[in-house]
Amino acid sequence: MNRLLFGAVMAVVLVGSVSACGAESDSPAETLPSSGAVASSTTTTSTVVESTTVKSLPATTSSTPKQTLPPVEAEPAPAAAVPAAAPEVTSVPMPPVVCMDLQSAQNLIQELGVFYSRSVDATGKGRKQVLDANWIVVGQTPGVGVPIGEGDAVLSVVKIGEPNLC
């Protein structure tokens, strides 16, 4: 609704400024409707929601000649483009992280070069791990030594103080 109202105001201002071009008048400012008037060849409808005051300015002309620039020729494309190198896939052995707090486990995995690991609530309640230092890792997938890449490490966690095997 605000965009529609803004568009209508801008249309009225634009029409008013275009019609004022070339007309020199010292008359006071004109008040124009901000919602714009809707007109057709058969009916005319005006709705005023709020008023906007627009002051007409005298038209200015410039006697400066227009500058023409010579056409710019495009450079030919290189004969053969060198394909971009594919991102290097990192694969590192999964470290032992069971019984570590989640933040420390994630830090260790990141130190090895894998920056995205996942964590899940081991109780099955689907709780989100907002403050990683308040959770303890009670299980890991895959096991220790198995090569992992981005997103492969899944750490099962419970809140610190909840029953666990650690």
Side-chain angles (χ1 to χ4, degrees), residues 39-122:
S40 71
S41 61
T42 56
T43 60
T44 302
T45 306
S46 277
T47 306
V48 176
V49 176
E50 41 180 272
S51 296
T52 304
T53 302
V54 178
K55 182 172 174 118
S56 299
L57 298 176
T60 59
T61 59
S62 173
S63 62
T64 315
K66 289 187 177 181
Q67 206 175 27
T68 57
L69 299 174
V72 178
E73 292 185 26
E75 292 182 25
V82 178
E88 188 175 319
V89 177
T90 303
S91 181
V92 298
M94 178 71 171
V97 293
V98 173
C99 295
M100 295 176 74
D101 71 86
L102 179 57
Q103 185 64 64
S104 298
Q106 290 172 336
N107 290 347
L108 177 59
I109 293 169
Q110 289 175 1
E111 287 171 9
L112 296 175
V114 175
F115 294 94
Y116 176 61
S117 60
R118 298 177 288 163
S119 60
V120 294
D121 183 358

Side-chain angles (χ1 to χ4, degrees), residues 132-150:
D132 295 338
N134 288 346
W135 296 80
I136 188 166
V137 179
V138 294
Q140 68 181 59
T141 304
V144 177
V146 176
I148 60 168
E150 298 296 327

Side-chain angles (χ1 to χ4, degrees), residues 5-40:
L5 183 59
F6 178 75
V9 170
M10 293 308 295
V12 169
V13 170
L14 179 62
V15 169
S17 65
V18 168
S19 65
C21 284
E24 295 191 24
S25 171
D26 293 314
S27 63
E30 298 174 28
T31 301
L32 301 173
S34 63
S35 66
V38 178
S40 71

